[in-house]
Amino acid sequence: MDGVIVIAVDGPVASGKGTLARHLAARTGLRHLDSGMIYRAVATLVLEDGADAGNAQACVRAAERLATADLERPGLRDQEIGSMASRIAAHREVRAALVEFQRCFGTTPPGAVIDGRDIGTVVFPDADVKFFVTAEARVRAERRHRELVARGETIDFSNVLEEIRERDRRDSERAWAPLRQADDAVAIDTTALDAAAAAQMALDIVCQRLGALSVLS
């Protein structure tokens, strides 16, 4: 990847990886891709087709026709879409179909900060810098619950916590490309860190690893 810098940010839902990745992209001048939005966009396409998340072939067909514009669709962050996206992501064929989409994005100069579940292990195992962002399940559920309430959704905290734990289980136990920390990834636990502190920690590590990188002030 000559002339291109790729930073991989993996972790479970609501760990703060997206906020951290956006901060890194803004400070480094790299592009940002939230790979979770890819699976959410595929979920909306599957719904439009009248298909189900358990239908692997229908999910693959939706993944193969995914366009960048689909990532801007309204409602992608809805709880229902997120849950369906997690089930769709369990299909190996779907993940394989979307790897090329992500690699094309990441290798377009000057590079990118990409966050997801398997960026540093499968999509970009040779990423220049890798992070694994995590936090305790209850803390992540509190963050997610606040986000949903702020958007006007009505949902019990207990349901959000249950969904968080179920998504963790699906993501970590799937047979192909499970959620796990890459051997060479730097772990950042955000349980007791605010977004600014976590992002600064990651930025300091990027600067140490890539001394020649021009970081924006």
Side-chain angles (χ1 to χ4, degrees):
M1 297 188 296
D2 292 342
V4 171
I5 294 172
V6 174
I7 299 175
V9 183
D10 288 314
V13 62
S15 60
K17 65 182 181 296
T19 300
L20 186 148
R22 288 190 294 273
H23 178 88
L24 287 178
R27 292 295 301 276
T28 60
L30 299 174
R31 303 160 72 217
H32 171 243
L33 177 64
D34 177 351
S35 69
M37 289 297 101
I38 297 175
Y39 292 94
R40 287 170 179 262
V42 171
T44 63
L45 294 175
V46 172
L47 285 174
E48 287 180 359
D49 292 341
D52 181 80
N55 187 331
Q57 290 185 338
C59 293
V60 170
R61 287 194 295 270
E64 290 175 340
R65 74 173 194 272
L66 179 71
T68 303
D70 291 319
L71 303 182
E72 304 300 325
R73 286 170 170 257
L76 291 185
R77 293 193 178 276
D78 290 352
Q79 185 80 351
E80 176 190 4
I81 294 297
S83 179
M84 185 173 183
S86 180
R87 297 196 299 275
I88 288 173
H91 296 304
R92 175 173 182 169
E93 302 92 336
V94 173
R95 302 193 73 86
L98 294 175
V99 163
E100 187 58 32
F101 183 100
Q102 296 170 81
R103 286 178 176 166
C104 181
F105 186 97
T107 55
T108 299
V113 182
I114 306 178
D115 63 87
R117 304 289 196 280
D118 61 349
I119 307 304
T121 54
V122 175
V123 182
F124 281 103
D126 56 348
D128 296 280
V129 185
K130 300 178 186 178
F131 294 102
F132 190 83
V133 185
T134 189
E136 294 176 0
R138 179 166 290 274
V139 172
R140 291 188 282 123
E142 290 171 352
R143 294 170 182 169
R144 182 61 175 156
H145 186 254
R146 285 196 298 269
E147 177 186 337
L148 293 171
V149 170
R151 293 213 310 264
E153 296 190 35
T154 301
I155 185 170
D156 291 337
F157 171 77
S158 59
N159 291 338
V160 177
L161 179 59
E162 181 180 357
E163 172 67 11
I164 289 281
R165 287 172 171 164
E166 175 59 21
R167 289 180 65 178
D168 285 351
R169 185 195 65 76
R170 283 199 302 265
D171 289 343
S172 61
E173 294 181 1
R174 62 183 176 233
W176 194 73
L179 170 67
R180 68 174 181 83
Q181 181 178 337
D183 294 338
D184 54 348
V186 177
I188 296 181
D189 189 331
T190 66
T191 299
L193 290 177
D194 62 21
Q200 187 59 53
M201 182 184 297
L203 182 63
D204 290 343
I205 292 169
V206 169
C207 291
Q208 292 169 7
R209 297 282 185 89
L210 306 173
L213 182 68
S214 177
V215 178
L216 303 181
S217 59

